[in-house]
Amino acid sequence: MPSRLRRAASYPAAAGAGNRGNADGTVTEGPPEAAPASGLARWFRENSADTRHPDGPEPRLYETPFSDVWDELLRYVDRRWWWRLAHRDENLGLMSVRCVFPILRFVDDLTIWVALDANGLTRVEAFSRARRRDFDLGANRRRIRRMLRSVDRALGPAARLPSGAE
């Protein structure tokens, strides 16, 4: 009777490096190929949100001067109890924020870019990512949307241009 040797799964050993194990025991670099998630399935597959991604929240384009948009974003960050400004550089138009989910103390990183485009319009883009979780239950996407809506309200309805107005 032939003995059946059970091969150890390679995935747990490679999971920390972002690799995945194949059925034949080899390890392949990179994320698994999957169809884009939507709705509730997205909450369990994504741990980040990016306005530069086609499926992400919509970036903002304003006719308002750079300094007004920058100052409003700083005020918004300062008003959040569990947010800490980690880095800001007005010359580069970059803000890095550490966001803590208050109940479970999960930490997410938020990066905000503010820049002038070729037409002199102010563009705001953001990226938010969970540090130590594989999914975020939509928190990063909501965080970016809420922040951008708040800036929209503060600057007034005439300041924001439609997304196709570039």
Side-chain angles (χ1 to χ4, degrees), residues 68-134:
D68 293 348
V69 175
W70 180 263
D71 292 341
E72 185 53 42
L73 284 165
L74 283 176
R75 277 192 291 275
Y76 183 83
V77 169
D78 287 340
R79 286 192 309 254
R80 307 278 78 89
W81 285 10
W82 294 93
W83 289 23
R84 296 292 173 254
L85 189 61
H87 174 77
R88 74 177 185 195
D89 188 343
E90 193 168 352
N91 293 331
L92 295 176
L94 173 71
M95 280 186 222
S96 298
V97 182
R98 181 176 168 259
C99 308
V100 178
F101 186 71
I103 298 171
L104 300 173
R105 307 279 180 162
F106 289 140
V107 178
D108 296 345
D109 294 314
L110 172 66
T111 304
I112 306 165
W113 296 276
V114 183
L116 293 175
D117 69 357
N119 299 323
L121 302 173
T122 306
R123 184 175 184 84
V124 177
E125 295 180 340
F127 174 73
S128 184
R129 181 180 195 93
R131 281 192 187 174
R132 293 194 173 96
R133 300 184 312 279
D134 293 332

Side-chain angles (χ1 to χ4, degrees), residues 5-15 19-27:
L5 297 175
R6 185 173 174 174
R7 187 181 326 180
S10 60
Y11 178 73
N19 304 325
R20 66 180 193 280
N22 296 327
D24 62 355
T26 60
V27 176

Side-chain angles (χ1 to χ4, degrees), residues 17-83:
N19 304 325
R20 66 180 193 280
N22 296 327
D24 62 355
T26 60
V27 176
T28 305
E29 295 284 332
E33 292 79 21
S38 63
L40 290 175
R42 175 185 290 149
W43 288 12
F44 292 103
R45 286 193 170 163
E46 293 182 358
N47 71 343
S48 65
D50 193 347
T51 57
R52 298 166 299 170
H53 192 271
D55 293 334
E58 185 180 337
R60 297 296 198 263
L61 198 59
Y62 298 105
E63 288 183 312
T64 308
F66 174 92
S67 61
D68 293 348
V69 175
W70 180 263
D71 292 341
E72 185 53 42
L73 284 165
L74 283 176
R75 277 192 291 275
Y76 183 83
V77 169
D78 287 340
R79 286 192 309 254
R80 307 278 78 89
W81 285 10
W82 294 93
W83 289 23

